[in-house]
């Protein structure tokens, strides 16, 4: 029975996706203008061309490189800062107003300064991604720390865990891990969205985001759409991979779905 | 061994009012004695236990364990909380080894010790389970083992069996007495249940409604193992109920 339902669910999913593709193909053929709406077959052909030429591979690596730089710094800054603000009230009071002023600024607004400070380098792109990713990580880490159950902290204290350092690393941090994982996951989502913008100003002649603009300028909408789909697909893979890693290794002690 | 003299605790509300939680508490607990605290809700018995644990500070009065003044949490006092307090990210075994890790005891040795205590509470086969896989009663047994492994002189228990069903509760009481008899600890045990107090305690401390004072200390001189329904037990129970009833009425008024 369960397997039957599973099969039916799968069938439904496949039918749904297939229908969307067919409708897309039909509409594109009715319009019959590649520069307004390329068809599925156009995109498929473009995709195959990109793969066989090896170009797509290089674009993905370039974009991932920016992404890793931005995410790496966002994690390295966001988690420790969130920990400090979540644990020490004075640090929270001192830093929170500054954060609240900077946080609402959209990451893309930082592009001029990114170029000014880092030039047209991968670090400029990484910076924009960093700005997008750091706040969800910071805020979730902070909230996770704030929500550490009091009874766990007190249990630690009566068991001889008295120093702030021990309480942070042995109790509050593990208790906050699910929240931190959520923060990193949300941060990765925002960071990946920033990749397109970060590549827009030309830090490299490769990269998925750059290629979207590049092929747009040349009115190759089939290639634009191909890169868009690749962008979405990679985000999906990163997200699933992260979820898998977190749930299998990091948070095995948790019941139910955490992230 | 545990001595409390003229202890007062006052809470300050946000409006600036003062609420006297504990007023002039004097109490002496002998070595290896099993003492139950009983009293109406909000009488400050949990506050007193937390002060003894070192988690809160009194406003005045002296408090000593083995003649040493209490200034904060210490290894001489273990505590079992009312809420489930196991670290959910640690297995049962690693929960118990927690305090031994802090003492830098080598891994193989601390796991050996932890297994001994797990056996004591009858949960050896759950060593590698995570807390979410255990029932409420099992969680509290692990919490007891975790507190005991530190080898404290005093075991503080804040209504540890309050959240488990009646049958499990009876079994846990038996087990606790077994452990107490084998390990010979001083136990301070908060309860709302007169039956529980009569079954467990050498001495029952009855608290008044707020502000919490010690109303009376009743010695329960019944032989162990106790019959829950014996004539003598009923006599103590009636005495306690009468004493407590007046306070509960006062708390409601």
């Amino acid at each position: 029975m369960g397997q039957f339902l599973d099969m039916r669910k799968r069938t439904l999913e496949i039918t749904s996706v297939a229908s969307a593709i067919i409708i897309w193909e039909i509409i594109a053929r009715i319009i019959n203008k590649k520069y307004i709406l390329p068809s599925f077959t156009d995109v498929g052909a473009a995709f195959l061309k990109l793969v066989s030429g090896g170009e797509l591979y290089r674009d993905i690596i370039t974009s991932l490189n920016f992404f890793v730089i931005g995410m790496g710094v966002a994690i390295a800054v966001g988690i420790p800062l969130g920990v400090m603000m979540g644990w020490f009230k004075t640090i929270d009071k001192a830093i929170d107003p500054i954060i609240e002023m900077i946080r609402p600024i959209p990451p893309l607004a930082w592009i001029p300064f990114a170029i000014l400070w880092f030039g047209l380098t991968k670090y400029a792109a990484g910076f924009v991604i960093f700005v997008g990713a750091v706040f969800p990580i910071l805020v979730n880490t902070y909230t996770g720390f704030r929500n550490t159950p009091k009874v766990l902290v007190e249990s630690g204290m009566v068991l001889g865990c008295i120093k702030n350092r021990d309480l942070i690393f042995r109790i509050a941090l593990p208790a906050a891990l699910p929240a931190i994982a959520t923060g990193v996951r949300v941060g990765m989502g925002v960071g990946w969205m920033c990749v397109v913008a970060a590549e827009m100003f030309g830090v490299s002649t490769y990269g998925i985001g750059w290629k979207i603009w590049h092929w747009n300028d040349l009115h190759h909408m089939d290639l634009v759409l191909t890169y868009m789909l690749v962008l979405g697909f990679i985000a999906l893979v990163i997200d699933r991979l992260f979820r898998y890693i977190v749930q299998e290794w990091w948070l095995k002690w948790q019941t139910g779905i955490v992230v | 061994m545990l001595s409390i003299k003229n202890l007062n605790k006052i809470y300050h509300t946000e409006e600036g009012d003062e609420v006297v939680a504990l007023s002039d508490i004097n109490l002496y607990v002998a070595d290896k004695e099993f003492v139950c605290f009983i009293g109406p809700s909000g009488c400050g018995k949990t506050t007193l236990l937390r002060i003894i644990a070192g988690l809160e500070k009194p406003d005045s009065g002296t408090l000593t364990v083995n003649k040493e003044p209490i200034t904060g949490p210490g290894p001489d006092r273990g505590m079992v909380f009312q809420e489930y307090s196991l670290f959910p990210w640690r297995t049962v075994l690693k929960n118990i080894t927690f305090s031994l890790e802090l003492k830098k005891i080598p891994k193989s040795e601390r796991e050996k010790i932890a297994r001994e205590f797990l056996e004591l509470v009858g949960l050896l086969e759950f060593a590698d389970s995570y807390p979410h896989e255990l029932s409420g009663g099992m969680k509290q047994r692990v919490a007891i083992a975790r507190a005991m492994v530190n080898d404290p002189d005093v075991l503080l228990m804040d209504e540890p069996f309050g959240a488990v069903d009646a049958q499990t509760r009876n079994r846990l009481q038996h087990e606790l007495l077994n452990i107490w008899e084998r390990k010979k600890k001083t136990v301070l045990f908060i309860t709302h249940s007169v039956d529980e107090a009569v079954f467990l305690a050498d001495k029952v401390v009855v608290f008044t409604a707020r502000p919490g004072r010690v109303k009376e200390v009743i010695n329960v001189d019944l032989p162990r193992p106790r019959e829950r329904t014996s004539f003598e037990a009923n006599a103590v129970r009636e005495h306690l109920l009468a004493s407590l009833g007046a306070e509960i009425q006062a708390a409601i008024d």
Side-chain angles (χ1 to χ4, degrees), chain A residues 150-162 166 170-172 174-176 252-255, chain B residues 50 53 55 73-74 77 79 81 83-90 98-99 101-102 130 132 146 150:
Chain A
K150 196 175 156 215
V151 69
L152 297 186
V153 176
E154 290 185 341
S155 293
M157 288 169 80
V158 295
L159 289 167
C161 191
I162 309 283
D166 283 337
R170 290 176 185 271
I171 292 170
K252 233 181 162 180
W253 51 272
Q254 277 265 348
T255 39
Chain B
R50 290 171 56 81
L55 294 172
R77 285 148 291 139
M79 183 147 173
F81 293 84
E83 310 101 295
Y84 299 133
S85 61
L86 298 182
F87 304 124
W89 57 88
R90 284 173 168 256
F98 183 83
S99 59
E101 284 169 32
L102 290 162
Y130 281 96
H132 72 79
R146 187 177 67 175
N150 223 356

Side-chain angles (χ1 to χ4, degrees), chain A residues 109-162:
Chain A
W110 286 94
I111 290 177
F113 278 106
I115 297 170
L116 193 65
W117 292 338
F118 300 100
L120 286 177
T121 63
K122 57 185 175 181
Y123 300 108
F127 179 74
V128 176
I129 294 161
F130 158 78
V131 175
V134 73
F135 292 110
I137 296 172
L138 172 67
V139 171
N140 275 282
T141 305
Y142 170 83
T143 312
F145 257 67
R146 272 299 152 96
N147 292 342
T148 307
K150 196 175 156 215
V151 69
L152 297 186
V153 176
E154 290 185 341
S155 293
M157 288 169 80
V158 295
L159 289 167
C161 191
I162 309 283

Side-chain angles (χ1 to χ4, degrees), chain B residues 164-237:
Chain B
V164 300
D165 65 86
Q167 286 189 354
T168 310
R169 192 170 181 156
N170 281 356
R171 238 192 38 236
L172 290 173
Q173 289 167 359
H174 269 287
E175 280 181 20
L176 177 61
L177 284 181
N178 277 335
I179 294 168
W180 172 68
E181 270 158 22
R182 279 170 66 179
K183 295 283 172 184
K184 281 296 169 199
K185 302 280 175 197
T186 307
V187 180
L188 302 187
F189 188 105
I190 291 181
T191 178
H192 271 110
S193 158
V194 169
D195 293 355
E196 192 163 62
V198 173
F199 185 68
L200 295 175
D202 293 321
K203 204 154 95 178
V204 182
V205 181
V206 183
F207 285 79
T208 64
R210 188 179 290 165
R213 297 170 201 275
V214 175
K215 183 183 185 186
E216 67 175 318
V217 178
I218 299 166
N219 287 309
V220 188
D221 288 323
L222 301 177
R224 297 176 188 271
R226 288 175 181 169
E227 273 302 322
R228 286 177 196 272
T229 51
S230 74
F231 179 75
E232 294 82 359
N234 275 330
V236 178
R237 194 175 291 129

Side-chain angles (χ1 to χ4, degrees), chain B residues 122-162:
Chain B
L123 289 174
L124 195 53
E125 68 213 275
F126 292 95
D128 298 321
S129 303
Y130 281 96
H132 72 79
E133 296 168 300
L134 306 182
S135 69
M138 286 153 83
K139 284 180 197 166
Q140 291 305 66
R141 280 147 78 191
V142 176
I144 291 169
R146 187 177 67 175
M148 296 283 291
V149 80
N150 223 356
D151 198 26
D153 299 320
V154 190
L155 190 59
L156 306 167
M157 307 183 85
D158 184 5
E159 258 192 274
F161 308 147

